[in-house]
Amino acid sequence: TVATYTQRLQKLHHGQLGEVADDCMARVISGARLMDRLIDDLYTYSRVGRQGKAAPVNCAGVLAAVCANLKAAFDEAGAVVSSDSLPIVPGVETELLRLFQNLIGNAVKFRGDRPVQVHVGVRRQGDEWLFSVRDNGIGIAPQYWKRIFGIGERLHSKTKYPGTGFGLAISQKIVEHHRGRIWVESESGSGSTFHFTLAATSPP
């Protein structure tokens, strides 16, 4: 409502009240839109673990859905996504889709000057699967490896990399709801690899 009425004022009086008023209206609209996204992400975070019962989930199908959802972003960034042969795991499909989409979407968002390359790897490790999402983006300095999973944590300005800072916090909560772990290995300027574990149901 705040954004809508401010946009009406902006449309009716743009240029009539001076540059300061125009700038204030633009800031109100931008702030209201950010608040809307924050509320959506906070709601998503609160819903993790309450969106259905675990069932067999085909991770290859999840990855295909993510690639379809992010096609426009892939095309813009010239992104290429590859993967190992992905397993079927017990989980909540909507949550796992969001997990993969958050990690792959971040790889596209936090890209460098090179065409984006993302690889989703997996290997069996006892009674769980160890997944990895590796990219060739801007990387993360070691001192921030734990901080980035905090709620609302951002390492960059909103103007350079838009977002609310909830993506990795949601991802961590999803993995922990599936009784797994998630962590990152990275260096500034050298890409990142996000690792996470999910339970396995079939024999090795």
Side-chain angles (χ1 to χ4, degrees):
T1 300
V2 170
T4 298
Y5 278 100
T6 307
Q7 283 176 314
R8 289 181 66 182
L9 287 172
Q10 189 182 53
K11 185 176 181 180
L12 290 169
H13 302 291
H14 181 73
Q16 299 176 12
L17 304 177
E19 291 184 3
V20 173
D22 289 343
D23 180 65
C24 286
M25 285 188 285
R27 289 175 182 271
V28 169
I29 293 168
S30 176
R33 287 174 175 166
L34 176 59
M35 182 61 71
D36 190 46
R37 293 195 297 271
L38 282 167
I39 291 169
D40 282 345
D41 285 348
L42 185 58
Y43 178 73
T44 299
Y45 182 85
S46 72
R47 291 284 296 167
V48 172
R50 296 187 290 161
Q51 300 186 66
K53 296 181 179 180
V57 178
N58 186 338
C59 291
V62 167
L63 179 60
V66 168
C67 291
N69 292 345
L70 297 178
K71 185 179 185 305
F74 288 176
D75 291 344
E76 179 187 350
V80 175
V81 178
S82 59
S83 75
D84 295 347
S85 179
L86 301 181
I88 294 174
V89 301
V92 179
E93 186 169 6
T94 54
E95 292 186 354
L96 294 182
L97 191 147
R98 183 173 290 275
L99 169 64
F100 278 83
Q101 187 157 311
N102 282 351
L103 297 179
I104 295 171
N106 277 354
V108 175
K109 180 194 294 187
F110 297 104
R111 60 184 183 269
D113 298 328
R114 299 169 291 179
V116 177
Q117 294 183 344
V118 183
H119 182 76
V120 181
V122 67
R123 62 184 174 87
R124 186 67 179 253
Q125 189 173 267
D127 58 357
E128 62 185 12
W129 293 102
L130 174 61
F131 289 82
S132 61
V133 179
R134 184 179 72 246
D135 66 56
N136 62 342
I138 61 174
I140 304 163
Q143 63 265 35
Y144 301 120
W145 287 1
K146 291 185 179 180
R147 174 182 161 184
I148 58 173
F149 292 100
I151 295 175
E153 287 290 348
R154 300 179 52 87
L155 302 183
H156 308 278
S157 69
K158 293 189 292 289
T159 53
K160 188 171 184 180
Y161 296 105
T164 62
F166 268 75
L168 289 176
I170 292 170
S171 298
Q172 182 179 53
K173 191 173 182 184
I174 290 170
V175 171
E176 290 176 350
H177 173 235
H178 287 75
R179 299 184 179 182
R181 309 176 311 283
I182 184 170
W183 67 96
V184 65
E185 294 177 349
S186 179
E187 289 184 15
S188 183
S190 300
S192 303
T193 302
F194 284 85
H195 302 277
F196 62 92
T197 61
L198 295 174
T201 54
S202 59

